[in-house]
Structure formats: structure tokens, C-alpha cells
């Protein structure tokens, strides 16, 4: 049963890397034998024999399959490592071409409508949210107030961004959900202000104790940009259910309330004023 699952996963991954379904099935079949005829490949891959030749021809063009012109013809795949490297190079080449092509597309001129006073955007997926968090931190000029709900939110890249920000004379304040996490971050960023947040609902729902959603991160940058993310099932590594919203240009009163809420547990005496309060 596991072999069938691995087989199907391999086919799906190859399709994600650009191969068509029959091409992926034929390549996986060939990796399971030293060499094979079209008939043998068809039997193992369940690809119609008449379609095997087209698939093999495409794979040969990509450098993934070798052909012996015997009677009948024999086919064999390159090594798994060589196939992976070939596909990686092709994938990277396509990605670079995509970036160049999209960068050269002429932008659409904005209309005459006035810009909105504030904007709010939604993001889904841990990696995009991590990237956006780091970008917002890099844009900071005065203050970064970050609340982290659990250790999965802390990465080496995030620590490095915060370290660079602090050395640029930006106030860095970090709240954590517990003392263990506070000690870990303080060790990584000894000069930053790190405190245990007074927001008890970071990792539990105050309304529904069976709700497994937790706050992953709360970020306020320069008193003008806010990012909030939550996640379900953080006790497993198989889920990617983190969702976030972030926005700019909020009313100053809203920002002040948000900052005071986020600074719960920091202590009034230790909390530096916001940029526009100095």
C-alpha cells in the first residue's frame, strides 16, 4: 500500500514540475526497471501503449530518458539524481524567465480615483506570511512591536531581521506567550526588549476551549502598519493553516489602542512612547 502511495506521489510531484501525466507515469515506471520496452512500460505505468511513444519522445527531448534503437526499442531512465537535477535546472530557468518577462510588462496607469485612506490585505500560508512579516520589519524606521504566540513563528531569518533592525537604532519590543520562549528570544537578541505578554488568549480561545486556533504573530511597525496571523493545528507539522491580515494607514486612535493592547505585560514604565508621541 505504501508503494502505491509513493508511486502516486512521485507522479504528482513530476507533474507539478512540468511533466504531463503520461510522461510522469512513464518516467516513474522506468525508474523501477533497468530498461524496458513500450509494452512493458505500458503494463507498469497503465499508460496506453500508443501513447507511451509520445511520452518517451518528450522525456528523451528533456534529457530524462535514453533510447536504444533495437528491435523492439528499449528505453531506460537516467538516474533519479540526474533527473532531479535536470528538472531543477529547468524549473529555475523558467522561474528566471518568468521574472524577467513579468518585469518587462508595462504597468497600467492608475485611475483618477483618490487613494483609500487605509488598506487591508489577506494572506494565506506560513511561508508567504513569514516573508511579509520580514518585509514589514525591514521597512521599519522607528519601532517594531512583535508578539509571537508560539515557537514555530520564530525562524533564523526573523531573528536576523530583528537583529539588523535593532542595530539600526530602531526600538525592538517582543512579547511572547511564555517565559521559556521569552528566554530563548532574549538570548538571541540580548539588547532587545523582550517580555511575556499579558494576552492570555494568545494560545487559547477565551470563548471556546475546544477551539485549537492560536495567534501566531501580532506585528505593529512604526505605529502605522499592522499584521495579525492565526493558525490551527500548530502541534503538528503536517498542516499549513496559517492565515493573516495586514494593513496600513489606520486611524491613529486605533493604532494607539492596538499598541497598548499588544504591550500588555511590558509595563508602563518600560514602554517607550510611539514615534508620534515623542
Amino acid at each position: 500500500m505504501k508503494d502505491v502511495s509513493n508511486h502516486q506521489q512521485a507522479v504528482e510531484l513530476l507533474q507539478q514540475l512540468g511533466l504531463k501525466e503520461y510522461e510522469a507515469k512513464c518516467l516513474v515506471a522506468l525508474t523501477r526497471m533497468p530498461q524496458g520496452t513500450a509494452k512493458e512500460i505500458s503494463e507498469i505505468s497503465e499508460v496506453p501503449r500508443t501513447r507511451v511513444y509520445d511520452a518517451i519522445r518528450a522525456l528523451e527531448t528533456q534529457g530524462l530518458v535514453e533510447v536504444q534503437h533495437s528491435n523492439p526499442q528499449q528505453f531506460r531512465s537516467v538516474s533519479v539524481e540526474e533527473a532531479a537535477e535536470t528538472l531543477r535546472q529547468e524549473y529555475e530557468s523558467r522561474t528566471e524567465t518568468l521574472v524577467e518577462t513579468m518585469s518587462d510588462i508595462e504597468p497600467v496607469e492608475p485611475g483618477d480615483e483618490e487613494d483609500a485612506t487605509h488598506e487591508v490585505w489577506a494572506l494565506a500560508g506560513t511561508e508567504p506570511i513569514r516573508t511579509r512579516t520580514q518585509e514589514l520589519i525591514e521597512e521599519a524606521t522607528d519601532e517594531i512591536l512583535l508578539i509571537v504566540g508560539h515557537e514555530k513563528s520564530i525562524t533564523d531569518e526573523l531573528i536576523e531581521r530583528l537583529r539588523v533592525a535593532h542595530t539600526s537604532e530602531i526600538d525592538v519590543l517582543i512579547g511572547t506567550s511564555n517565559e521559556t520562549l521569552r528566554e530563548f528570544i532574549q538570548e538571541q537578541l540580548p539588547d532587545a526588549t523582550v517580555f511575556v505578554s499579558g494576552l492570555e488568549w494568545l494560545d487559547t480561545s477565551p470563548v471556546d476551549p475546544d477551539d485549537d486556533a492560536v495567534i501566531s504573530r501580532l506585528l505593529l511597525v512604526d505605529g502605522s502598519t499592522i499584521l495579525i496571523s492565526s493558525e490551527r493545528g500548530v502541534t503538528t507539522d503536517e498542516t499549513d493553516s496559517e492565515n493573516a491580515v495586514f494593513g496600513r494607514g489606520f486611524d491613529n486612535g486605533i493604532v494607539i489602542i492596538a499598541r497598548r493592547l499588544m504591550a500588555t505585560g511590558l509595563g508602563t514604565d518600560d514602554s517607550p512612547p510611539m514615534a508620534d508621541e515623542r
Side-chain angles (χ1 to χ4, degrees):
M1 192 68 179
K2 183 178 180 181
D3 184 64
V4 174
S5 177
N6 289 340
H7 184 283
Q8 182 60 33
Q9 183 179 20
V11 170
E12 292 175 355
L13 289 171
L14 286 169
Q15 287 183 264
Q16 292 173 18
L17 289 171
L19 297 188
K20 296 180 180 179
E21 181 181 2
Y22 285 170
E23 295 169 5
K25 287 184 174 181
C26 288
L27 182 59
V28 172
L30 278 173
T31 61
R32 300 175 62 188
M33 64 179 86
Q35 60 189 54
T37 64
K39 179 182 178 181
E40 292 169 334
I41 295 172
S42 176
E43 292 173 349
I44 295 177
S45 66
E46 299 182 351
V47 173
R49 185 173 176 180
T50 55
R51 302 297 301 275
V52 167
Y53 291 103
D54 291 336
I56 292 296
R57 190 177 300 112
L59 292 171
E60 181 187 12
T61 300
Q62 297 178 66
L64 300 173
V65 164
E66 299 173 347
V67 180
Q68 184 181 71
H69 296 284
S70 54
N71 188 19
Q73 285 185 320
Q74 296 282 337
F75 310 100
R76 69 179 182 184
S77 70
V78 299
S79 68
V80 173
E81 292 76 13
E82 184 178 345
E85 179 62 19
T86 298
L87 290 170
R88 185 189 65 78
Q89 292 179 1
E90 177 64 22
Y91 192 86
E92 290 182 352
S93 176
R94 290 184 182 184
T95 302
E96 292 173 0
T97 302
L98 173 64
V99 172
E100 294 174 359
T101 302
M102 294 189 69
S103 298
D104 290 338
I105 297 176
E106 186 175 346
V108 177
E109 293 296 329
D112 296 330
E113 298 85 357
E114 294 184 2
D115 293 334
T117 57
H118 66 271
E119 56 184 31
V120 178
W121 299 88
L123 274 176
T126 298
E127 283 306 317
I129 293 172
R130 284 176 178 171
T131 299
R132 178 60 63 186
T133 299
Q134 291 166 188
E135 289 175 350
L136 295 179
I137 288 174
E138 289 179 345
E139 296 173 3
T141 58
D142 293 299
E143 180 189 70
I144 297 167
L145 176 52
L146 173 65
I147 308 298
V148 290
H150 54 82
E151 61 274 8
K152 287 179 63 177
S153 301
I154 300 298
T155 63
D156 293 340
E157 292 81 4
L158 177 61
I159 291 293
E160 181 59 26
R161 297 297 193 288
L162 293 170
R163 182 178 292 114
V164 170
H166 193 274
T167 57
S168 301
E169 298 185 352
I170 296 173
D171 290 328
V172 177
L173 299 88
I174 306 170
T176 68
S177 58
N178 56 68
E179 179 63 24
T180 301
L181 188 54
R182 187 204 69 79
E183 292 177 355
F184 171 76
I185 296 177
Q186 189 71 79
E187 182 179 343
Q188 302 296 313
L189 300 166
D191 297 325
T193 301
V194 188
F195 61 98
V196 176
S197 173
L199 305 179
E200 293 83 1
W201 44 263
L202 279 173
D203 52 6
T204 57
S205 170
V207 178
D208 183 3
D210 295 327
D211 186 353
D212 65 347
V214 300
I215 300 298
S216 297
R217 65 198 91 207
L218 300 173
L219 175 67
L220 178 62
V221 175
D222 293 341
S224 61
T225 301
I226 299 175
L227 181 146
I228 305 173
S229 77
S230 63
E231 187 174 3
R232 293 184 180 276
V234 296
T235 56
T236 68
D237 295 327
E238 299 178 357
T239 182
D240 187 12
S241 58
E242 187 171 5
N243 292 276
V245 292
F246 74 95
R248 296 183 173 90
F250 293 100
D251 178 78
N252 187 54
I254 295 176
V255 172
I256 290 177
I257 293 173
R259 184 184 183 281
R260 290 177 179 173
L261 177 65
M262 293 169 66
T264 302
L266 176 59
T268 305
D269 295 338
D270 299 327
S271 178
M274 289 176 56
D276 55 1
E277 296 177 331
R278 293 170 182 167

